[in-house]
């Protein structure tokens, strides 16, 4: 990705660091976790939504990491009863990954 022209690199970085995390948190913590919470125990809703989050990030090597991240994001959502903390953490995580992906090695 470091070979992208500057405008494309900026667009990718903004998408990866801001837009995708916001969308994913609305989907996984806001909608999925909220729906699961009406049918299962709070801890089960966190685990199930984290598992789905991990499976959607289909790279097997990264699934343990995304599962742990999903658990943490789910805990933040439960703890603060808001998706804002999980959006902030998810954006920080993706921003770091984006910087690493876009930096020449």
């Amino acid at each position: 990705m470091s070979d992208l022209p500057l405008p494309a690199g900026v667009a990718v970085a903004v998408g990866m660091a801001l837009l995708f995390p916001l969308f994913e948190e609305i989907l996984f913590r806001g909608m999925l976790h909220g729906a699961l919470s009406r049918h299962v125990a709070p801890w089960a809703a966190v685990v199930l939504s984290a598992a789905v989050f991990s499976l959607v990030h289909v790279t097997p090597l990264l699934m343990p990491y995304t599962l742990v991240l999903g658990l943490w994001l789910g805990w933040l959502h439960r703890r603060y009863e808001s998706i804002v903390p999980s959006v902030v953490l998810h954006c920080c995580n993706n921003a770091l990954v984006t910087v690493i992906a876009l930096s020449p090695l």
Side-chain angles (χ1 to χ4, degrees):
M1 288 182 32
S2 62
D3 295 334
L4 291 174
L6 184 60
V10 169
V12 168
V14 168
M16 286 178 61
L18 297 175
L19 299 178
F20 297 156
L22 177 60
F23 171 76
E24 288 181 348
E25 290 309 305
I26 290 169
L27 180 66
F28 291 105
R29 256 50 71 188
M31 296 170 67
L32 179 61
H33 183 263
L36 288 169
S37 294
R38 290 189 289 277
H39 301 287
V40 298
W43 65 268
V46 170
V47 170
L48 290 170
S49 64
V52 173
F53 176 76
S54 181
L55 290 171
V56 167
H57 293 81
V58 293
T59 307
L61 188 61
L62 295 179
M63 282 182 177
Y65 175 77
T66 55
L67 178 62
V68 171
L69 179 62
L71 290 169
W72 192 8
L73 294 167
W75 177 83
L76 284 171
H77 178 254
R78 291 294 303 174
R79 168 69 176 84
Y80 295 102
E81 298 178 0
S82 169
I83 66 166
V84 173
S86 59
V87 168
V88 170
L89 175 61
H90 200 151
C91 286
C92 290
N93 176 78
N94 283 26
L96 178 61
V97 169
T98 301
V99 166
I100 291 168
L102 292 176
S103 65
L105 298 176

